[in-house]
Amino acid sequence: MKAVIPAAGMATRLLPATKSQPKEMLPIVDKPAIQYVVEEAVAAGIRDILVITGRGKRAIEDHFDRAFELEEMLRAKGQEDMLREVRRIAELADMHYIRQREPLGLGHAILQARTHVGDAPFAVLLGDDVVFSDEPCIRQLTRVFQQQGASVIAVEPIPPARSVLYGVPALGKRVSPGLWEITDVVEKPKPRDAPSKLGILGRYVFMPALFGAIERTKPGKSGEYQLADALRVLLEEEKVYALATKGRRYDLGDRTEWLKTNIEVGLMRPDTRKALLPFVRAMARKPPRPLR
Ligand code: UTP
């Protein structure tokens, strides 16, 4: 199965950091978000990865390419471990890139993958959503896809107040614990309008019929082709399942979430934990004064 990583959004919530660099390249500690996403796909056995890029996203292509000067310098300095790591990144997967010429929404971004994917099911992993789990999140979905033979989207329980940040599925028949047929998707509903207590996260396996559904989708108020609207069109023709995936998901599209992610992962990593833990404790006891 091929994977598609949409990474062409404007990332306005993270400006000015994202004025000239992609949010997908913002690090979690010292590794760009999109590298975690590519490594998840690779761990699930996916080799062919298409990244949907746009203006100002060159750094993504450079990151997954060879860097001869840098390699030469690391070799000269005897930094063999880092040299191996830098080369490993360039050999992770068969990386492909296509540009979304205008950021017309996530649905439109996925449609750019049609020629590369062809008439086959495909995985989608959002480039700004990182999931830590024992079994790669996307493999949890491909397993269910193989059983059901239909599109599967990943969901997680969300606190009601956060429904305004998510696509929320309406649930139909429960197939097994944590797996439902869905009947509708509502984009960013107010808590009282949310049809379930689940939110959609950035991992999906789609039947190729999704491409036709996106084409038949009308743009929303902002002029963007939303994935949630395309899912509604797809639901008129085919079954779509929601799977409550296991793992911890980090949304890097928002500045506070990005900061929290860095602190949490910094506390998890053996090489940064020792220095960070006393620092975080001290900060919690006596927080610094707010900047004016
Ligand atoms: P977001 O909804 O976070 O939008 O996109 P955004 O433009 O990146 O960020 P904000 O809201 O302006 O801060 C979710 C995913 O879809 C991709 C993004 O790159 C991100 O991975 N996307 C979004 C596209 O590839 N193209 C688009 O036109 C919109």
Side-chain angles (χ1 to χ4, degrees):
M1 190 180 281
K2 293 179 179 173
V4 176
I5 303 183
M10 295 293 275
T12 51
R13 285 170 294 158
L14 288 170
L15 282 168
T18 49
K19 186 179 171 199
S20 65
Q21 64 170 337
K23 74 169 155 185
E24 294 78 9
M25 285 299 293
L26 291 178
I28 300 178
V29 186
D30 55 6
K31 196 200 280 193
I34 193 166
Q35 188 181 327
Y36 290 89
V37 178
V38 168
E39 285 174 347
E40 178 190 327
V42 170
I46 297 174
R47 283 288 314 168
D48 185 306
I49 297 176
L50 175 70
V51 184
I52 315 293
T53 67
R55 276 187 56 245
K57 303 273 184 174
R58 270 257 162 74
I60 298 178
E61 292 182 44
D62 288 342
H63 187 70
F64 293 104
D65 199 358
R66 292 289 298 275
F68 293 105
E69 264 182 19
L70 175 64
E71 289 175 23
E72 214 29 70
M73 197 198 79
L74 292 171
R75 193 172 295 117
K77 285 190 169 178
Q79 297 187 5
E80 295 297 328
D81 286 354
M82 192 46 76
L83 175 62
R84 260 195 302 279
E85 175 62 6
V86 162
R87 291 200 58 160
R88 185 186 70 85
I89 298 167
E91 285 158 10
L92 268 175
D94 297 331
M95 302 297 293
H96 306 270
Y97 303 90
I98 192 164
R99 278 193 169 216
Q100 183 189 19
R101 291 200 182 82
E102 272 185 273
L104 291 177
L106 179 56
H108 183 262
I110 293 173
L111 191 56
Q112 310 309 306
R114 189 176 205 169
T115 311
H116 184 84
V117 166
D119 192 23
F122 62 105
V124 173
L125 302 89
L126 296 194
D128 61 346
D129 252 5
V130 171
V131 187
F132 282 24
S133 52
D134 293 337
E135 180 182 16
C137 186
I138 199 69
R139 194 163 63 203
Q140 299 175 41
L141 294 183
T142 54
R143 266 197 301 116
V144 171
F145 170 81
Q146 274 155 9
Q147 290 156 12
Q148 305 297 335
S151 301
V152 195
I153 63 180
V155 294
E156 62 178 359
I158 53 166
R162 287 182 64 84
S163 66
V164 289
L165 301 168
Y166 285 82
V168 177
L171 304 178
K173 192 177 122 199
R174 195 183 79 147
V175 180
S176 57
L179 179 66
W180 301 265
E181 283 179 20
I182 64 171
T183 56
D184 196 6
V185 177
V186 186
E187 188 62 7
K188 304 189 170 79
K190 296 202 179 89
R192 69 179 134 84
D193 299 328
S196 72
K197 293 185 175 117
L198 299 172
I200 298 174
L201 54 120
R203 297 292 183 272
Y204 320 78
V205 174
F206 287 122
M207 294 293 279
L210 179 78
F211 292 126
I214 299 171
E215 276 184 336
R216 287 193 294 285
T217 302
K218 294 192 185 65
K221 274 184 231 128
S222 56
E224 292 194 350
Y225 294 82
Q226 300 290 358
L227 179 59
D229 294 337
L231 275 171
R232 283 184 148 166
V233 175
L234 185 65
L235 275 166
E236 288 167 15
E237 301 159 4
E238 297 190 355
K239 282 186 179 162
V240 177
Y241 294 86
L243 175 71
T245 48
K246 297 195 174 70
R248 169 87 169 89
R249 174 250 194 176
Y250 301 94
D251 169 14
L252 304 169
D254 163 292
R255 68 196 70 205
T256 349
E257 293 301 311
W258 177 73
L259 274 170
K260 285 190 207 163
T261 304
N262 270 284
I263 295 168
E264 190 172 324
V265 177
L267 288 172
M268 280 153 51
R269 268 183 44 168
D271 59 336
T272 43
R273 180 184 171 87
K274 210 169 151 213
L276 197 57
L277 191 55
F279 172 78
V280 170
R281 283 200 179 115
M283 286 286 137
R285 266 197 306 274
K286 193 167 182 296
R289 264 189 295 148
L291 287 176
R292 280 176 204 277

